[in-house]
Amino acid sequence: MKILSEDITEFLRNIPPFHDLDEATLRNISVGISTEFYPKGSLILRQDGPASDYLRIIQKGSVKVFISSGQEDRVLIDTRSEGESFGFLSLMSGDKARANVVAVEDTTCFLVSREAVLKILETNPPFAEYFLLSYLNKYIDKAHHEMGKKRFSYGGGDSLLFTTPIGELVRREPITAPQDISIKGAAEIMTANKISCLILLDSTGIPTGIVTDRDLRDKVISKERSFRESIKNIMSVFLIKADARDYCFEALLKMIRYNVHHLLVIESGILKGVITNHDLMMLQGTSPISLVREIEGQQSIEGLIPVSKKVNKIVELLMKEGAKASNITRIITEINDRLLRKVLEITEKKLGTPPLEFCWIVFGSEGRKEQTFKTDQDNAIVYVDADSEEKDEAAREYLSAFTLLVRDGMSQCGFPSCPADYMASNPKWCQPLKVWKKYFAGWINEPTPDAVLKSLIFFDFRPLYGKVGLAEDLRDSLAPMVEGQRLFLGYMANTIIKKTPPLGFFRSFVVEKSGKHKDKFDLKVKGIAPLVDAVRLFALEKNVRETSTLERIDALKHKHTIVQEYADELEHAFEVIMLLRIHHQFEQIEAGREPDNFINPNTLNNLEKRLIREAFHRIAKIQGLIIDKYKTMIL
């Protein structure tokens, strides 16, 4: 027992906040500590279950902490490993456990009694402050607020965008009318009810169209149309619907994606009502939809330039009240997609109809829908296979001029050219479908370092403009090419595991020793890239078509054994690293500096250090599993 006590004292001496306690206090605590072993998968604490009777300090292994509000609806709060503790809140309150705690791997804990903890708290203020700041403010309370306190009130800020169900915005029963009434009759109903849109129904009561006050202005008054005509002649049959249980954030995404200002809200298969852009603007204070409207209204590159400069304000808006990194990147990607499409439309209008149909594809962070601030252009063109040399030559001549104009237009809007020239303006990346298939097959069948690098870049492609079927055809061809190609996947794994997270011995950070970025580490190359690359590898193994990292993780949860086990941890690591990156870059932009990805860990507070360290630890663990799987091919 004496040896065990000394071992415990030595362990506590090296972990916060115990390392600040004097030797006598450490020895007194150690004598009363017991140990407990939890096999992998053990539920150690159950949400709303009995309060923790000990403060548990992890000697070996790791746990995940999460809360749930249903069988499928759960939020990962944190992951904790060697030297970290859990159970403090419920130990102090004595009423119930506030979260679920599950062993991620075989885990051994030191157990400190409530009496011992209380005694230390009373006599050591820094010790008390550590636990109060680490647990109360940052984790459980915030997550409970996000999941359980979804009160609706106008002007509540951006957080309501992510916590308010769309159904709560519906303030009245839907106003409808038969689709065969006159334009005059429809206008009278809208005026009488003071509404901006009217849902039109067929003879069976099914919504078949919508007419808005804008339709009345643009299609009737400005065209001097007869008011006696049927409303059916001017209604829009393009109805975008949303489930009442979806959050307002999803409604915002749909409005941006489809460029509409009204959404039909469906509850249990029945029309509940309509929400508008104005409803979301009232909820949020302002709206990215207004920026999209500005983009759509421009007819020249010169007109787009000042509009593109407003994108950073949207990031600020979303960051104000704690939007998740994935929410920020999805909104910004939608806006940037809209901007690029407008540049492409303006350019095509200027040059006329192309000789052959083509599809503009994007890759990199844009292809994965993970853009934050303006990044380099990463794009290419896939065009229809020509049936003659003349048509192919005409297409090449047209697309050469087209891609140069797009490249320059995007540069003017703040998107610099790719330094490695992975752009459609490079003739190598503006090719017919058959050539792209040949590229992919060549990279897979002969996986040289350069071929693997190109695979890592181009396999994240997604279509953005033009004949989308070309990109879908290319994606369809990829799966059979990769299937059974263990050599290619092994070479890809070999490349991936060489980008290691910046963690040294004792979980310290590894930073640059000299040069421009001395005492810093690259959050993109050392953090995001290894995670993205690992998930891409898993997606290729299981023929998952999604390109977004989080969408890939979600699609792999029931297909891939590693992801099935570590999905929560991967998602948590992605959110933590991306959010830190976004905040870092935003601070640089606000200070008038060019944004980069280099972080000095000494500028982070203790909580941020712990979160990022744990995220790196998880990525390193996934890389270890990749090494085990492809160990015969890892060089």
Side-chain angles (χ1 to χ4, degrees):
M1 187 68 178
K2 183 179 180 182
I3 296 175
L4 179 59
S5 176
E6 289 177 354
D7 288 345
I8 294 172
T9 301
E10 179 62 28
F11 184 85
L12 296 180
R13 191 181 288 125
N14 293 298
I15 63 170
F18 295 92
H19 65 344
D20 288 329
L21 300 178
D22 59 66
E23 192 68 18
T25 304
L26 277 176
R27 290 187 178 279
N28 287 336
I29 297 169
S30 300
V31 170
I33 286 179
S34 58
T35 61
E36 198 162 278
F37 173 74
Y38 305 102
K40 177 181 176 180
S42 300
L43 179 63
I44 304 171
L45 293 177
R46 179 171 55 83
Q47 181 182 336
D48 297 326
S52 178
D53 45 359
Y54 294 98
L55 175 68
R56 288 170 169 82
I57 306 166
I58 302 171
Q59 179 200 18
K60 187 178 181 181
S62 61
V63 302
K64 60 182 176 182
V65 184
F66 64 93
I67 62 173
S68 56
S69 62
Q71 199 160 9
E72 298 294 331
D73 190 8
R74 71 178 189 176
V75 171
L76 181 70
I77 304 303
D78 198 14
T79 54
R80 297 177 192 167
S81 57
E82 183 177 327
E84 297 176 317
S85 58
F86 59 92
F88 177 77
L89 282 180
S90 64
L91 179 73
M92 292 296 98
S93 66
D95 56 356
K96 62 181 179 180
R98 302 285 297 280
N100 301 291
V101 180
V102 173
V104 175
E105 54 194 316
D106 289 348
T107 301
T108 303
C109 291
F110 291 136
L111 276 56
V112 187
S113 68
R114 186 172 188 271
E115 292 73 21
V117 173
L118 285 173
K119 187 174 180 179
I120 306 173
L121 291 174
E122 291 171 0
T123 57
N124 294 270
F127 187 93
E129 182 181 3
Y130 174 88
F131 279 106
L132 290 173
L133 290 178
S134 295
Y135 290 85
L136 270 175
N137 295 336
K138 291 291 183 180
Y139 293 106
I140 310 298
D141 287 343
K142 181 177 180 180
H144 269 289
H145 177 74
E146 288 181 355
M147 292 188 67
K149 299 180 181 177
K150 298 166 182 174
R151 297 190 303 270
F152 173 76
S153 61
Y154 281 120
D158 308 320
S159 59
L160 291 175
L161 192 65
F162 306 100
T163 58
T164 304
I166 297 170
E168 292 191 17
L169 265 64
V170 177
R171 315 302 283 177
R172 63 191 298 177
E173 292 290 324
I175 305 299
T176 64
Q179 64 179 12
D180 56 0
I181 66 170
S182 66
I183 293 174
K184 182 175 184 295
E188 288 173 345
I189 293 173
M190 293 171 68
T191 301
N193 290 279
K194 298 180 180 179
I195 54 176
S196 62
C197 71
L198 182 64
I199 305 300
L200 301 167
L201 312 176
D202 64 14
S203 58
T204 64
I206 302 297
T208 56
I210 183 173
V211 63
T212 67
D213 50 8
R214 186 174 181 176
D215 291 328
L216 295 176
R217 292 194 307 270
D218 296 349
K219 299 177 183 178
V220 180
I221 298 174
S222 65
K223 304 294 184 183
E224 297 184 351
R225 211 165 190 148
S226 170
F227 293 167
R228 296 187 180 87
E229 279 190 52
S230 170
I231 194 67
K232 187 176 180 179
N233 295 340
I234 67 162
M235 74 178 186
S236 172
V237 296
F238 189 51
L239 300 176
I240 305 300
K241 303 173 184 177
D243 193 280
R245 297 169 297 178
D246 291 344
Y247 293 139
C248 292
F249 168 71
E250 300 295 340
L252 179 62
L253 273 178
K254 284 188 176 181
M255 286 185 176
I256 292 173
R257 185 174 298 126
Y258 298 110
N259 195 26
V260 297
H261 307 293
H262 298 80
L263 277 183
L264 273 62
V265 180
I266 307 298
E267 186 172 57
S268 301
I270 300 172
L271 179 64
K272 178 182 176 70
V274 179
I275 64 166
T276 68
N277 172 35
H278 179 72
D279 294 326
L280 292 177
M281 290 179 71
M282 288 292 290
L283 176 71
Q284 197 184 5
T286 185
S287 174
I289 298 173
S290 59
L291 180 57
V292 170
R293 187 182 294 174
E294 281 191 71
I295 292 172
E296 289 301 320
Q298 303 306 318
Q299 301 302 321
S300 68
I301 302 298
E302 290 71 26
L304 286 172
I305 295 171
V307 181
S308 67
K309 295 177 180 178
K310 298 180 182 181
V311 176
N312 289 349
K313 289 297 180 183
I314 301 299
V315 179
E316 179 181 12
L317 172 73
L318 296 171
M319 287 196 312
K320 272 184 180 178
E321 298 206 19
K324 292 198 301 184
S326 56
N327 289 337
I328 294 173
T329 56
R330 286 175 68 189
I331 288 286
I332 298 308
T333 297
E334 288 289 348
I335 294 173
N336 287 342
D337 281 359
R338 183 71 61 178
L339 181 66
L340 175 53
R341 283 195 193 99
K342 195 65 182 179
V343 171
L344 291 162
E345 288 172 7
I346 290 170
T347 305
E348 185 170 345
K349 186 175 181 180
K350 181 176 182 179
L351 294 182
T353 304
L356 292 173
E357 290 185 295
F358 70 89
C359 180
W360 186 277
I361 60 174
V362 292
F363 38 89
S365 60
E366 188 175 7
R368 295 189 303 274
K369 298 182 275 190
E370 292 164 6
Q371 282 188 304
T372 52
F373 300 96
K374 293 184 179 69
T375 54
D376 296 346
Q377 298 180 48
D378 294 306
N379 48 61
I381 278 182
V382 184
Y383 63 87
V384 171
D385 295 327
D387 56 12
S388 69
E389 289 187 13
E390 291 76 13
K391 286 185 179 180
D392 188 75
E393 183 59 35
R396 290 184 183 278
E397 184 178 342
Y398 175 94
L399 292 174
S400 175
F402 180 86
T403 55
L404 288 173
L405 287 174
V406 173
R407 182 198 66 186
D408 294 344
M410 289 302 291
S411 294
Q412 292 178 67
C413 290
F415 294 83
S417 296
C418 172
D421 206 16
Y422 289 116
M423 296 185 295
S425 54
N426 181 341
K428 187 173 184 179
W429 311 126
C430 180
Q431 295 289 343
L433 178 62
K434 63 183 179 183
V435 173
W436 278 105
K437 289 181 178 180
K438 186 177 179 181
Y439 282 165
F440 282 17
W443 298 339
I444 293 168
N445 294 327
E446 297 182 23
T448 63
D450 182 65
V452 172
L453 174 62
K454 288 184 171 64
S455 300
L456 293 173
I457 294 169
F458 284 97
F459 286 1
D460 287 344
F461 76 90
R462 68 180 175 92
L464 191 72
Y465 179 84
K467 188 177 177 61
V468 173
L470 289 166
E472 292 175 347
D473 192 340
L474 184 59
R475 179 68 65 187
D476 289 340
S477 71
L478 183 57
M481 289 182 194
V482 174
E483 187 176 3
Q485 290 285 354
R486 185 168 171 78
L487 180 64
F488 167 73
L489 295 173
Y491 272 87
M492 179 172 277
N494 188 57
T495 301
I496 289 170
I497 57 96
K498 289 179 180 178
K499 297 177 186 175
T500 57
L503 284 179
F505 291 109
F506 307 110
R507 298 161 67 87
S508 60
F509 292 110
V510 177
V511 297
E512 299 288 328
K513 301 300 182 184
S514 59
K516 180 181 178 182
H517 302 297
K518 185 176 182 292
D519 298 326
K520 299 177 181 179
F521 58 75
D522 191 327
L523 201 57
K524 178 181 179 181
V525 172
K526 296 290 189 177
I528 286 294
L531 192 157
V532 167
D533 289 347
V535 174
R536 182 193 299 107
L537 174 65
F538 300 152
L540 287 170
E541 288 175 348
K542 296 299 181 181
N543 187 25
V544 165
R545 299 175 67 95
E546 284 78 1
T547 58
S548 153
T549 301
L550 291 182
E551 288 176 353
R552 281 171 168 166
I553 292 172
D554 188 61
L556 288 164
K557 284 179 180 177
H558 303 295
K559 294 182 178 181
H560 199 287
T561 53
I562 293 177
V563 180
Q564 185 174 10
E565 184 170 355
Y566 294 101
D568 288 345
E569 287 78 3
L570 286 168
E571 290 172 353
H572 187 253
F574 179 87
E575 294 283 4
V576 166
I577 299 173
M578 282 294 287
L579 194 59
L580 181 60
R581 183 184 177 204
I582 291 169
H583 278 273
H584 169 69
Q585 292 184 346
F586 182 74
E587 289 170 2
Q588 290 180 309
I589 291 172
E590 287 290 281
R593 301 196 301 271
E594 192 70 22
D596 61 30
N597 296 290
F598 289 90
I599 298 273
N600 184 333
N602 291 328
T603 64
L604 305 177
N605 60 40
N606 289 335
L607 182 63
E608 289 171 329
K609 287 179 182 177
R610 193 172 75 78
L611 286 170
I612 200 70
R613 186 182 290 115
E614 190 58 42
F616 289 158
H617 174 70
R618 289 297 166 203
I619 295 170
K621 183 161 190 171
I622 297 300
Q623 288 187 323
L625 294 172
I626 291 174
I627 291 172
D628 289 342
K629 183 172 184 178
Y630 290 98
K631 55 190 172 186
T632 59
M633 301 178 187
I634 299 296
L635 303 178

